[in-house]
């Protein structure tokens, strides 16, 4: 990019800075910035990097707990899992890039989140993703699904991390902005965790990994702006990934960390060299001076502006112990990676950039972060919708309704997706995709880690606070359902334009719900990401605060799964109301069978969630429960169908007399688990539930080849499975 003769209002606007933000920058440095300095302010002060619209509300979240070693503010969160080990994890968005260039956008999203984890000294053990696309019949949807899934699979498979779970949803609200949220987790020793805070004056600042190119320039700024009809023109801002280079970078970094040479380390993610250098220096109350002539470049003639804003992938920045620089370089050369001392730490709190002997930037380093704009944006909290005004009509044919729900785009099997991911590499995957939570064994131990990503956007659209509470509660339930103790949360807050009070109200309401639920469930938030401006031509996505939870199993042999294990076992609906089910507002039945999205979402009683979940986890750990599944989308009928399809064993259910079977089988009341018990255990479990004040009706027994629901339907498990498995392959092959 050729340097202009002066900074114009048009140039400022093109960098995503508002006039008052630009004036703030000028006041800080006392002069007009150079083009490179303008780019640096743009990178550090955009929404994606500065969280300027959300910081006020993020501070209200619970972020500490007895197991939390590191909460928000680092590359990833760190939680103690005992025996000198910690799990390190985070979730981040790559929404805008994936909409423009789905393959590379999704691939580099995976690469970025893996770097966040191994930057802190952890070897990645699991990846998950939460994907949301537009309507299946939208002209872009099939192309986007194909590209995103291929990109995720290519990067994760080549890197060598198992992709073990996640979500895939379709809704017209994502026609103009898909969501690609990537999660990764790794294991590190608690005495060998690495941070980004630089220390020591005159230490070498070293560039590691792949060469710098022109891909990804302004990527962070693009992620902080709305789309319009010309969004395809932003394709050059999408990075290009190389998973093989990232695998080499992982091994080289872990070897270097073990050598004792590393003082501080930071991934070059959003805003590339700019944000990584500024964050390391500012956290350590140090200045940073960089000589860009020493930066390894893969393209000729790159300017200081381009090098500072490039988001080329598979790169790290480190501060090293000077006496070990030669040893460090030898490690990286062995792995075939670039290693270049490109600068030094200073004691003047300046961020100084030199290129071809000229000072291209000289800025106060702490002000780039500390003085970033922070907004208390006006917001309007929306009241939840009124209750459903009239009785909901029952289906003419309950069996046909259940088949239609199981074959719906949002409910059909995701096998087509997860079979493209290597979910078994490493040999420690204990639960394949399709259960309540993924489970991965901690190598060399009997411990297991459970992972789940959850949110129900239709609930959040109807009532952001209650919907966000439900997202946390469902994640907590899914971890509990496999027998894990829920430890901590990472979140990915996906919303529209926060400058609109109604959208800001969705964000504020959701954060209030998340905070309330996390406090009640002792489920602290240790890392996360905020993705705003997810809208096109003024049409925002549904509020989508995705919750990623991690849980711990002390003994992997106690893990529960959803499939029925044997014939003639008692089926209990633990945590159910007296009617078993009642809530149809915002239900899958309402949407898929009647074509309606109305009414309030199901309310969440957090005290009830905690008591019931702890009780169910106890049953799992003592070996009483043979199969466990939480009730969520589609209610009891879908939960039973999924357990039957997973096992090939049917069930017969005897519903209570009186109430309509519709809410019994399709109501989406929260805090419920379907649990099967071995013969002989039922009486003791029921007595314990009664003494604990927990409802646990026996609703039926396993057995046979059919699912019989209280006389209103009887359908073969084989037919259920056929409906459930066929939609995705047919859609992706163009048959639908």
């Amino acid at each position: 990019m050729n340097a202009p003769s002066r900074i114009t209002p048009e140039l400022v606007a093109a960098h995503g800075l508002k006039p008052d933000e630009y004036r703030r920058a000028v006041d800080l440095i006392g002069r007009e910035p150079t083009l490179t300095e303008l780019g640096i302010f743009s990178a550090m002060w955009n929404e994606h990097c500065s969280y300027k619209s959300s910081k006020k509300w993020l501070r209200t979240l619970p972020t500490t707990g007895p197991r939390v070693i590191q909460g928000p503010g680092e590359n990833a969160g760190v939680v103690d899992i005992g025996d000198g080990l910690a799990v390190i994890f985070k979730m981040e968005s790559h929404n805008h890039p994936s909409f423009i260039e789905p393959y590379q956008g999704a691939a580099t999203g995976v690469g970025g989140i893996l770097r966040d984890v191994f930057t802190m000294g952890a070897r990645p053990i699991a990846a998950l993703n939460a994907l949301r696309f537009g309507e299946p019949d939208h002209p872009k949807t099939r192309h986007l699904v194909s590209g995103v899934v291929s990109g995720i699979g290519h990067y994760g498979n080549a890197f060598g991390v198992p992709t073990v779970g996640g979500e895939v949803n379709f809704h017209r609200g994502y026609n103009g902005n898909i969501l690609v949220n990537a999660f990764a987790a790794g294991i590190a020793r608690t005495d060998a965790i690495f941070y980004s805070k630089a220390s020591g004056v005159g230490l070498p600042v070293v560039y590691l990994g792949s060469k710098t190119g022109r891909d990804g320039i302004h990527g962070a700024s693009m992620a902080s702006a709305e789309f319009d009809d010309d969004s395809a023109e932003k394709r050059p801002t999408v990075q290009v990934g190389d998973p093989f280079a990232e695998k080499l970078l992982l091994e080289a970094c872990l070897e270097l960390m073990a050598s004792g040479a590393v003082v501080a380390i930071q991934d070059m993610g959003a805003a590339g060299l700019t944000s990584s250098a500024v964050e390391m220096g500012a956290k350590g109350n140090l200045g940073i001076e960089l000589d860009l002539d020493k930066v390894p470049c893969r393209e000729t003639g790159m300017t200081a502006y381009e090098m500072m804003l490039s988001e080329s992938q598979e790169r790290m920045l480190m501060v090293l112990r000077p006496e070990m620089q030669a040893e460090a370089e030898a490690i990286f050369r062995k792995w075939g990676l670039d290693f270049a001392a490109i600068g030094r730490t200073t004691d003047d709190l300046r961020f100084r950039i030199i290129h071809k002997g000229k000072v291209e930037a000289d800025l106060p380093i702490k002000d780039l972060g500390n003085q970033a704009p922070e907004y208390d944006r006006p917001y309007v909290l929306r009241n939840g919708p009124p209750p459903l005004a009239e009785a909901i009509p029952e289906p003419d044919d309950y069996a046909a309704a259940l088949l239609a729900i199981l074959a719906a785009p949002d409910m059909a099997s995701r096998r087509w997706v997860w079979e493209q991911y290597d979910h078994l590499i490493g040999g420690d995957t204990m639960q394949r995709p399709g259960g309540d939570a993924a489970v991965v064994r901690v190598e060399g131990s009997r411990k297991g880690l459970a992972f789940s990503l959850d949110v129900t956007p239709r609930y959040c659209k109807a009532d952001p606070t209650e919907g966000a509470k439900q997202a946390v509660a469902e994640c907590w339930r899914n971890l509990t359902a496999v027998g894990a103790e829920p430890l901590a949360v990472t979140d990915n807050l996906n919303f529209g334009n926060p400058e609109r009070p109604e959208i800001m109200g969705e964000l504020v309401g959701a954060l209030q719900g998340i905070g309330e639920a996390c406090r009640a469930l002792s489920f602290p938030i240790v890392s996360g990401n905020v993705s705003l401006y997810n809208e096109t031509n003024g049409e925002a996505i549904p509020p989508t605060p995705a919750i990623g939870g991690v849980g711990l199993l002390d003994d992997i042999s106690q893990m529960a799964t959803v499939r029925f294990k044997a014939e003639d076992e008692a089926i209990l609906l633990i945590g159910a109301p007296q009617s078993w089910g009642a809530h149809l507002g915002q239900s899958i039945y309402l949407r898929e069978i009647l074509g309606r999205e109305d009414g309030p979402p199901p309310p969440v009683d957090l005290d009830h969630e905690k008591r019931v979940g702890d009780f169910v986890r106890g049953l799992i750990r003592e070996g009483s429960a043979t199969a466990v599944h939480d009730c969520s989308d589609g209610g009891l009928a879908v939960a039973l169908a999924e357990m039957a399809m997973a096992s090939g064993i049917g069930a017969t259910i005897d519903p209570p007399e009186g109430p309509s079977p519709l809410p019994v089988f399709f109501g989406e009341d929260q805090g419920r688990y379907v649990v099967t018990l071995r013969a002989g255990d039922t009486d003791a479990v029921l007595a314990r539930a009664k003494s604990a004040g927990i409802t646990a009706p026996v609703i039926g027994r396993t057995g046979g080849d059919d699912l019989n629901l209280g006389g209103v339907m009887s359908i073969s498990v084989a037919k259920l499975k056929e409906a459930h498995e066929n939609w995705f392959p047919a859609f992706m092959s163009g048959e639908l």
Side-chain angles (χ1 to χ4, degrees):
M1 181 172 183
N2 294 324
S5 57
R6 57 182 293 271
I7 304 297
T8 65
E10 292 77 18
L11 189 61
V12 170
H15 281 75
L17 292 172
K18 298 187 183 302
D20 60 325
E21 293 174 337
Y22 177 68
R23 287 192 297 271
R24 184 188 187 101
V26 170
D27 290 343
L28 276 174
I29 63 176
R31 57 176 170 79
E32 183 179 90
T34 66
L35 177 64
T36 300
E37 289 172 334
L38 178 65
I40 290 170
F41 275 111
S42 169
M44 294 302 299
W45 285 11
N46 63 55
E47 192 75 60
H48 190 76
C49 293
S50 73
Y51 295 91
K52 57 191 176 186
S53 295
S54 56
K55 273 192 289 192
K56 171 183 175 177
W57 299 100
L58 294 175
R59 294 189 189 104
T60 68
L61 297 175
T63 59
T64 59
R67 289 184 178 268
V68 176
I69 295 173
Q70 175 64 54
E74 273 292 340
N75 287 293
V78 185
V79 176
D80 195 326
I81 60 171
D83 299 322
L85 297 175
V87 58
I88 298 178
F89 62 98
K90 191 181 184 184
M91 180 162 53
E92 280 208 344
S93 61
H94 235 220
N95 304 335
H96 287 64
S98 299
F99 185 74
I100 295 169
E101 172 40 67
Y103 183 92
Q104 290 294 351
T108 52
V110 174
I113 199 65
L114 289 169
R115 285 195 305 279
D116 281 337
V117 167
F118 73 75
T119 294
M120 299 197 70
R123 180 172 292 277
I125 63 164
L128 294 86
N129 52 78
L131 313 178
R132 288 180 169 83
F133 301 99
E135 294 169 295
D137 58 1
H138 188 276
K140 288 186 177 180
T141 297
R142 188 179 290 109
H143 162 72
L144 291 169
V145 173
S146 177
V148 165
V149 171
S150 296
I152 290 170
H154 168 70
Y155 207 102
N157 296 353
F159 178 85
V161 63
T163 301
V164 294
E167 293 189 300
V168 184
N169 292 113
F170 299 87
H171 191 275
R172 62 181 178 276
Y174 304 102
N175 282 348
N177 291 80
I178 66 171
L179 301 184
V180 175
N181 294 172
F183 171 103
I187 298 293
R189 297 199 326 268
T190 55
D191 61 355
I193 296 167
F194 291 82
Y195 299 95
S196 58
K197 177 182 176 181
S199 62
V201 176
L203 273 60
V205 176
V206 179
Y207 174 113
L208 308 164
S210 298
K211 289 179 169 59
T212 293
R214 290 186 170 95
D215 53 318
I217 293 174
H218 287 306
S221 298
M222 175 193 67
S224 305
E226 301 174 42
F227 280 162
D228 54 27
D229 293 331
D230 298 322
S231 60
E233 295 178 3
K234 298 181 180 179
R235 191 176 302 271
T237 63
V238 178
Q239 309 93 325
V240 177
D242 181 348
F244 301 102
E246 179 129 331
K247 174 63 172 174
L248 297 175
L249 183 61
L250 162 72
E251 299 300 341
C253 283
L254 293 182
E255 184 175 343
L256 183 58
M257 289 166 172
S259 74
V262 179
V263 175
I265 179 170
Q266 179 69 41
D267 162 42
M268 287 195 226
L273 187 54
T274 291
S275 65
S276 56
V278 169
E279 288 177 21
M280 284 204 304
K283 286 179 180 178
N285 290 311
L286 296 169
I288 298 282
E289 182 175 288
L290 301 180
D291 182 353
L292 298 189
D293 293 339
K294 298 178 180 178
V295 171
C297 294
R298 67 169 182 262
E299 300 183 49
T300 60
M302 289 191 72
T303 65
Y305 177 94
E306 290 172 326
M307 281 188 267
M308 293 308 297
L309 296 185
S310 168
E311 292 185 9
S312 294
Q313 297 290 286
E314 294 86 41
R315 302 180 301 160
M316 294 282 190
L317 201 65
M318 287 187 184
V319 175
L320 295 181
R321 302 188 191 283
E323 69 275 13
M324 300 189 71
Q325 184 171 329
E327 180 182 344
E329 181 170 1
I331 290 172
F332 268 74
R333 297 298 183 198
K334 180 186 75 174
W335 288 99
L337 296 167
D338 278 294
F339 178 104
I342 65 169
R344 63 188 180 91
T345 59
T346 68
D347 61 1
D348 60 5
L349 290 176
R350 304 295 292 180
F351 185 45
R352 193 173 295 110
I353 306 301
I354 300 168
H355 187 225
K356 297 183 178 179
K358 178 183 176 184
V359 176
E360 293 283 355
D362 190 350
L363 300 170
I365 195 166
K366 290 184 75 70
D367 289 347
L368 286 171
N370 295 348
Q371 295 300 315
E374 180 176 339
Y375 295 117
D376 185 3
R377 296 198 184 277
Y379 63 91
V380 176
L381 289 176
R382 187 175 67 249
N383 292 326
L388 295 170
E390 72 282 348
I392 303 302
E394 295 188 42
D396 295 330
D397 184 332
Y398 271 84
L402 179 57
L403 287 172
I405 287 171
L406 292 175
D410 249 18
M411 301 295 290
S413 168
R414 271 60 181 133
R415 184 183 301 275
W416 182 92
V417 175
W418 58 258
E419 284 190 342
Q420 297 188 53
Y421 306 150
D422 190 336
H423 50 276
L424 297 175
I425 191 167
D428 287 317
T429 302
M430 297 291 102
Q431 281 214 35
R432 300 185 182 197
D436 283 317
V439 180
V440 176
R441 179 173 49 206
V442 177
E443 186 180 10
S445 77
R446 296 183 63 84
K447 294 179 185 287
L449 288 168
F451 308 103
S452 185
L453 306 184
D454 296 283
V455 66
T456 309
R458 67 183 186 279
Y459 291 174
C460 297
K461 183 67 175 175
D463 186 330
T465 301
E466 203 65 31
K469 282 168 56 178
Q470 188 274 340
V472 174
E474 183 174 356
C475 186
W476 194 87
R477 258 195 325 270
N478 281 330
L479 299 174
T480 293
V482 299
E485 173 198 352
L487 296 180
V489 165
T490 182
D491 59 20
N492 207 143
L493 308 174
N494 307 275
F495 293 83
N497 184 347
E499 297 169 49
R500 295 165 54 193
E502 67 274 19
I503 300 297
M504 192 65 204
E506 292 178 344
L507 175 61
V508 171
L511 284 168
Q512 290 175 344
I514 291 170
E516 181 183 348
C518 287
R519 279 185 287 271
L521 298 173
S522 300
F523 207 21
I525 295 177
V526 297
S527 60
N529 172 252
V530 180
S531 175
L532 304 179
Y533 295 95
N534 290 289
E535 57 182 77
T536 297
N537 294 328
E539 291 293 323
I541 62 164
T544 312
I547 301 297
V550 176
L552 176 67
L553 292 101
D554 289 323
D555 186 345
I556 202 77
S557 68
Q558 296 175 335
M559 176 185 73
T561 63
V562 303
R563 63 183 182 86
F564 292 143
K565 302 302 185 299
E567 305 256 347
D568 201 31
E569 291 194 333
I571 305 172
L572 278 62
L573 185 56
I574 300 179
Q578 186 174 0
S579 61
W580 293 15
H583 193 93
L584 289 168
Q586 296 297 330
S587 65
I588 284 290
Y589 174 84
L590 204 63
R591 190 181 76 187
E592 298 298 338
I593 304 304
L594 301 180
R596 295 166 48 183
E597 293 185 35
D598 55 347
V604 179
D605 181 335
L606 294 167
D607 176 67
H608 173 81
E609 290 281 359
K610 183 75 167 60
R611 290 188 301 107
V612 174
D614 290 348
F615 180 79
V616 169
R617 194 181 312 108
L619 295 181
I620 295 170
R621 292 188 172 185
E622 71 182 25
S624 296
T626 55
V628 181
H629 193 14
D630 84 309
C631 283
S632 56
D633 279 348
L636 176 60
V638 168
L640 290 164
E642 289 172 342
M643 298 175 86
M645 289 186 294
S647 62
I649 299 172
T652 299
I653 306 300
D654 300 312
E657 294 183 4
S660 163
L662 176 59
V664 168
F665 290 120
F666 292 115
E668 296 183 8
D669 305 66
Q670 299 295 292
R672 299 180 299 162
Y673 299 79
V674 180
V675 177
T676 57
L677 303 176
R678 292 188 183 90
D681 288 346
T682 306
D683 289 344
V685 169
L686 292 178
R688 286 168 49 197
K690 184 177 181 180
S691 66
I694 292 171
T695 57
V698 177
I699 65 171
R701 303 196 78 77
T702 62
D705 298 322
D706 299 335
L707 183 61
N708 298 289
L709 300 184
V712 299
M713 78 170 85
S714 180
I715 188 167
S716 73
V717 175
K719 194 170 183 180
L720 293 171
K721 195 166 185 176
E722 180 183 9
H724 189 54
E725 294 286 349
N726 285 349
W727 182 85
F728 227 117
F731 170 65
M732 293 307 299
S733 67
E735 296 174 23
L736 295 178

